[in-house]
Amino acid sequence: FGMHALLVAITLSPVTAVAQSENYVTGEDIYPPVWDLAPENPLDFPVKDNKIVIDAWNYQDRLGAYKSLLNASAKYFGAFGAQNSGNILWGLPLQHEWQFHTGRLADPSGVTSCGYENGELLCQSVRSWWSCMNYYLSIIPFLGAVEAGLFGQLPYEIEILPPEEQKGDFCYSVKDCWSRMPKLMNDWKAFFEYLLSTEHKAVSSASLSSFNLDDALGLMWKAHTSSIAYALPKFRHSLKYLSDPEANFGEDWANAVDFIAATHFSTDLLNTKHFQAFLPQRMLVEGDVLPSISDFSPEQNKVLVSLRALHKANKLTG
């Protein structure tokens, strides 16, 4: 039941697809907030002491890591949609945008003003479970791409700034991340190396003929699920800052990604935008009872019930 409902939710309805395409042409609401202001490539970040410095606890900088990945990989996805819309890396920044605009990156303990409109809006809290989990789906892919050579030979090393607490839960440079989590780095590097290899095999730059979208999706989802599997036990302690319904949803969502990955769901711009309409548009609070959360659409309630059922079934069957 759970998987069926989830896949029904994922299936693109023609009406929405048309509306989304029209929206895409006019450019309304398609890109994440502050996308235009985010760095476009690694050399757009500040350089200090001969190092490119990225503040991973600032929403705009994380967006810049994503934007760099999308720009540098655009040429491989030209055949799959205009203006890079067919790039399967869109799933990452759009998921992060959803976390941002639903308040999931703000300090859930309420001790600081990090992530709040009346405080530091673009700040990402290290106490946010979502923000910590996302580190492994933003900074790690970015550093894997650097190592694979997606950005060519960079004149400087990359340095990631640490958070104020929990410094030991993260890594801060290509070398540091390789020494701490070689398998995870290797999975992301393999995905970007696959893209680069298709360019080398192509007879002319006009046709990247050896590119296979399903192979690319397989490698990307492998890296994606590796990131979640690595980060999940690391940040279990952060769930204590969340309400029980939100903590359950977070774990249900992390579990569901394995199933979505198995379908090789294409995380291009339109597919991801459509799918995210079914996710809760605010954080869950005590008193939110499934499947009758009154300010959620019937579809949003259904998806939450499906994710819960899927997680329970997965636990029961081991």
Side-chain angles (χ1 to χ4, degrees):
F1 156 73
M3 195 57 199
H4 175 70
L6 191 62
L7 288 173
V8 167
I10 290 170
T11 306
L12 209 60
S13 71
V15 177
T16 312
V18 170
Q20 295 266 1
S21 309
E22 284 170 4
N23 230 7
Y24 181 64
V25 174
T26 59
E28 286 171 44
D29 298 328
I30 271 292
Y31 300 111
V34 307
W35 183 257
D36 289 347
L37 303 174
E40 303 205 350
N41 68 67
L43 294 172
D44 284 347
F45 287 96
V47 174
K48 194 179 172 192
D49 300 330
N50 278 338
K51 286 183 179 174
I52 293 166
V53 180
I54 299 175
D55 181 0
W57 304 96
N58 174 283
Y59 172 73
Q60 195 167 307
D61 271 25
R62 267 201 213 185
L63 221 48
Y66 286 134
K67 197 173 178 181
S68 301
L69 289 177
L70 277 155
N71 285 346
S73 60
K75 60 186 168 190
Y76 306 108
F77 295 96
F80 305 108
Q83 291 174 273
N84 205 18
S85 62
N87 195 323
I88 58 175
L89 287 170
W90 271 114
L92 297 172
L94 291 176
Q95 178 73 179
H96 197 47
E97 171 207 11
W98 164 76
Q99 294 163 355
F100 175 71
H101 83 71
T102 57
R104 288 180 162 87
L105 303 177
D107 181 354
S109 68
V111 172
T112 68
S113 65
C114 180
Y116 292 97
E117 273 186 50
N118 57 355
E120 307 159 84
L121 182 60
L122 296 180
C123 170
Q124 289 193 209
S125 175
V126 71
R127 292 190 173 196
S128 156
W129 178 83
W130 294 95
S131 185
C132 291
M133 291 292 290
N134 179 265
Y135 191 94
Y136 286 86
L137 288 167
S138 54
I139 300 305
I140 304 302
F142 178 78
L143 294 175
V146 169
E147 183 70 358
L150 184 72
F151 306 112
Q153 274 296 105
L154 291 171
Y156 310 106
E157 282 180 32
I158 307 269
E159 182 186 5
I160 311 296
L161 296 180
E164 287 176 8
E165 51 188 39
Q166 295 171 225
K167 290 184 175 66
D169 288 335
F170 308 95
C171 60
Y172 304 103
S173 68
V174 171
K175 198 175 162 190
D176 184 24
C177 295
W178 267 110
S179 68
R180 291 205 219 179
M181 49 201 81
K183 185 197 174 294
L184 183 51
M185 282 288 282
N186 202 49
D187 282 350
W188 280 108
K189 184 181 175 217
F191 167 67
F192 291 110
E193 280 180 338
Y194 174 73
L195 297 186
L196 288 161
S197 74
T198 64
E199 186 175 17
H200 298 147
K201 285 179 206 161
V203 182
S204 73
S205 59
S207 74
L208 297 173
S209 54
S210 56
F211 189 90
N212 180 308
L213 189 61
D214 196 60
D215 288 349
L217 282 163
L219 287 164
M220 187 205 67
W221 277 117
K222 183 181 182 223
H224 193 122
T225 52
S226 292
S227 282
I228 289 177
Y230 184 88
L232 208 49
K234 216 179 235 312
F235 301 112
R236 205 146 260 145
H237 63 86
S238 301
L239 292 168
K240 67 174 182 275
Y241 295 119
L242 303 174
S243 69
D244 285 348
E246 179 68 17
N248 287 338
F249 164 60
E251 292 197 290
D252 292 347
W253 176 234
N255 169 76
V257 172
D258 274 344
F259 292 85
I260 297 169
T263 69
H264 283 202
F265 178 67
S266 183
T267 41
D268 58 46
L269 188 71
L270 293 182
N271 270 356
T272 306
K273 275 276 179 189
H274 175 76
F275 175 61
Q276 289 195 164
F278 298 98
L279 295 178
Q281 298 306 298
R282 62 163 173 80
M283 288 180 75
L284 301 181
V285 294
E286 302 298 348
D288 280 338
V289 181
L290 295 172
S292 48
I293 301 175
S294 59
D295 60 332
F296 286 6
S297 69
E299 292 79 14
Q300 285 170 336
N301 272 293
K302 267 183 208 153
V303 165
L304 288 174
V305 169
S306 306
L307 295 176
R308 183 96 283 239
L310 200 57
H311 194 183
K312 277 185 181 164
N314 208 19
K315 273 184 175 165
L316 288 171
T317 57

